[in-house]
Amino acid sequence: MKVSLLMLAAATVVAVAPNSRPAPTGLMCELLAEPDRAAITDSSPEFTWIVPGERKDEVQTAYEIRVASSPELLESAKRSLWSSGKVRSDRSTAVTYAGRPLESNQTYWWQVRTWNRGDKASPWSVPQRFRTGVLRSAGAAAGTRKPQERITVTRYPLVRSEVAPTAVTQMGDGHYFLDFGRAAFAGLRLTLDNPQPGRRVVVHLGEALDGPRRVHRKPGGSIRYHRAEVELQPGRHTYLVPLGPKDGREMPAHIGPVMPYRYAEIENAPARLDRESARQLVAHYPFSDTAARFTSSDRKLNDIWELCRYSMKATSFCGVYVDGDRERLPYEADAYINQLGHYASDREFTLARYSHEYLMQHPTWPTEWILHSPLMAWADYMHTGDADSLAEFYPDLKAKTLLALARPDGLVSTVERGVSKEVLASVYSTRMRDIVDWPMAERDGYEMRPVNTVVNAFHYRSLVLMARIAEALEKPQEAREFRQAAERVAKAINTRLFDTKAGLYVDGEGSAHSSLHANLFPLAFDLVPADRRAKVAEFVRSKGMACSVYAAQYLMEALYTAGLDDHALALMTAPGDRSWAHMVYDVGTTITLEAWDNKYKPNQDWNHAWGAAPANIIPRFVMGVEPLEPAFRTVRIRPQPGNLEHATLDLPTVRGPIHVAFQAGSQQFELTVRLPANTRAEVHLPRRGTTAGEVLVDGKKRKARVEGSFLVVEGIGSGEHRFALPASR
């Protein structure tokens, strides 16, 4: 007899004694929260769970995993495929299957229980079902498989959600205007009553308006508009509005063609339309709308967060991060910003990993985009704790640092000596060209030189992260070599690409021009020595938003790194046409734009996730939550509130949600933190003028380390904790 998940859950609840520990939740197999919806190809999948417990300082001291071919067999060690026994470990992420070989195209079940500090066992988790597809050979050496075989991650199929219009307005006889509230990549379904044959309904779909309640017929650029006609049959029928040929690009058959639109106009409707007459058929990757939450005392910042958060869902429609509707192609820089924003919006990691691994083998042409690959790989590892992807692509990641182009002083150039066919082949590319920023008019007058400062700043950053990747893969000698190479590059940048008289970085070797870009990237990547930091930071501050929506990601990182949170927040919420507020309030878009405004990029599309930097900047810097160890085993919480009076964040992580809230005053700062079990934090409080070396933690004084403008308390365990500055003396 088959046992349903509901029955198993009920049995688990009944079996738990009063006041006993809860069971593990949030189970993932191969980073999939619903692994039975996909076909896993890893013959040794990894298991992850959220450790139970809401009390303070709750940690896992041991775990036990069972895997079987049916839920009934889980209780039998002899008949199960794997029973790990009690394993003394705090590891709760990316635990590798170590049982009897799994078979292709089969269904399996797994569950886990944990022990706490008092050596008390939790109940077993509700079993989770997972399916295998055609399993990859476990014996194949890393780096030897065909491109698709090298993909280490299993993706979900795309899903289609039905959205009703938020408003239906009758404009005239048979003429209706529909607003779906948000733009989405979607089709349109109409259900209409028609008394006579041969009637044709005209449908207009679009992203922009041309006056109140009129879909813009000629929006220009890559802003989308589509006109279609639907011939009606007698009686009540449901129709799919036909879209254009290009709308079917990259879309699976079960989804069908989609285009980005928010508004619809229906002409010649045979009967009255209401909210039940139409459905926007939205294509997207599985996404939780409630996993993340942010609110603050600044309404504009709240609206910007929601714009950027929703952009993560809306632009997932291809099952890989793409640049928008015009091309529907993956690009590394776009994907990196998308990746960071997606992590902050949902407890979902597979789409980011797939996009990164696809781009590893199908790179684009900009030099800096190639150099983004180690950044994407490291972000994946820090958020998941799963090193499978690092191991598979390690040789390729080494090549993508572009060390092969380095001169004796460590600086690289794609122009000085050119890029050989061998180097291009090592990074899977056919061409390479420096980009700095895009469109070109957003470069702040940057002087393109053979030895380029922005390119070399990215080269430095990639080497720093490759050293950490080598350490994670237990390659200490290579880690030392990468660190030495990074130090060599830093020295060369700070001597050859720095104007000592002006106290600023120049655009490249031989240049006398100092652009915003030449200075913001070294500042963001911690290349600027302490004695130069104030001058460089002030220059970056003085330039405002003299860059594109892409470079704004790193501008925000640079400003927060330099402690200029007031200025960063002001830029993020600024009026004018170079701001996210402009997107929300002036343009009226509900998905971030490719550029600040049409006048800066006339062919821009209105659905580009690389314009959504605040989706990750707000959690990482305004609220200050970042992992210090892989999979958030240790987390740093360092809020930089600017002039915000209060703010609250619920951030999804692989170990469970992290809650951070603060109340800020001119001389006071109060912080509430709630951490999931098996997690520890390093908490930084803004000093707000206090000279004390103490912090109030849960009402008790505790010694704090002074670190610049912060008071730092280490070793904060799970559960809820309250922090405050001591009363002024």
Side-chain angles (χ1 to χ4, degrees), residues 128-361:
Q128 184 182 67
R129 181 173 61 188
F130 66 94
R131 295 188 299 112
T132 58
V134 177
L135 295 174
R136 296 186 300 152
S137 171
T144 64
R145 303 183 183 98
K146 295 178 182 179
Q148 190 57 37
E149 293 174 341
R150 296 188 67 196
I151 298 294
T152 69
V153 67
T154 298
R155 287 182 298 169
Y156 292 114
L158 291 173
V159 297
R160 192 169 73 175
S161 298
E162 297 186 5
V163 177
T166 58
V168 177
T169 306
Q170 185 168 4
M171 308 297 292
D173 186 21
H175 184 189
Y176 291 84
F177 174 81
L178 287 67
D179 183 354
F180 289 91
R182 284 173 165 167
F185 283 85
L188 178 64
R189 186 179 71 207
L190 297 174
T191 301
L192 303 172
D193 288 306
N194 179 42
Q196 57 188 10
R199 190 181 187 106
R200 302 181 76 85
V201 167
V202 178
V203 180
H204 305 272
L205 300 176
E207 295 180 280
L209 294 179
D210 183 19
R213 301 182 183 88
R214 176 179 167 81
V215 175
H216 205 310
R217 271 64 162 170
K218 296 181 179 180
S222 296
I223 304 166
R224 292 300 301 278
Y225 163 73
H226 176 69
R227 181 186 185 278
E229 293 188 9
V230 180
E231 184 171 348
L232 305 185
Q233 303 300 315
R236 184 177 178 82
H237 294 279
T238 296
Y239 305 89
L240 285 178
V241 174
L243 300 182
K246 67 180 293 186
D247 300 314
R249 292 172 299 164
E250 308 296 331
M251 302 310 299
H254 75 280
I255 297 295
V258 296
M259 66 167 279
Y261 73 91
R262 172 179 172 176
Y263 307 107
E265 269 187 78
I266 313 295
E267 295 179 328
N268 200 33
R272 182 175 179 82
L273 301 187
D274 57 24
R275 294 184 69 246
E276 300 306 313
S277 304
R279 287 294 182 270
Q280 191 184 40
L281 304 178
V282 179
H284 61 89
Y285 203 67
F287 188 92
S288 170
D289 291 308
T290 59
R293 185 176 72 94
F294 171 78
T295 185
S296 75
S297 53
D298 190 321
R299 180 183 63 87
K300 288 188 294 184
L301 189 65
N302 300 342
D303 290 344
I304 290 166
W305 157 261
E306 184 53 31
L307 166 73
C308 297
R309 186 203 66 84
Y310 173 70
S311 296
M312 300 300 106
K313 178 180 181 179
T315 59
S316 70
F317 71 101
C318 270
V320 63
Y321 295 150
V322 295
D323 66 329
D325 186 53
R326 186 178 65 254
E327 294 181 284
R328 296 195 187 184
L329 293 175
Y331 285 86
E332 291 89 342
D334 306 57
Y336 179 62
I337 297 170
N338 205 335
Q339 170 187 26
L340 295 178
H342 202 159
Y343 291 156
S345 304
D346 196 7
R347 187 175 179 254
E348 211 301 304
F349 312 98
T350 58
L351 187 57
R353 178 172 290 189
Y354 178 84
S355 300
H356 160 57
E357 293 184 346
Y358 176 88
L359 284 161
M360 285 293 299
Q361 302 173 90

Side-chain angles (χ1 to χ4, degrees), residues 2 35-40 67-71 73 81 102-110 128-133:
K2 297 212 172 179
D36 59 336
R37 294 176 60 179
I40 288 170
V67 180
S69 57
S70 73
L73 295 179
L81 293 163
L102 301 177
E103 297 181 5
S104 295
N105 303 311
Q106 296 296 320
T107 297
Y108 298 99
W109 300 75
W110 79 282
Q128 184 182 67
R129 181 173 61 188
F130 66 94
R131 295 188 299 112
T132 58

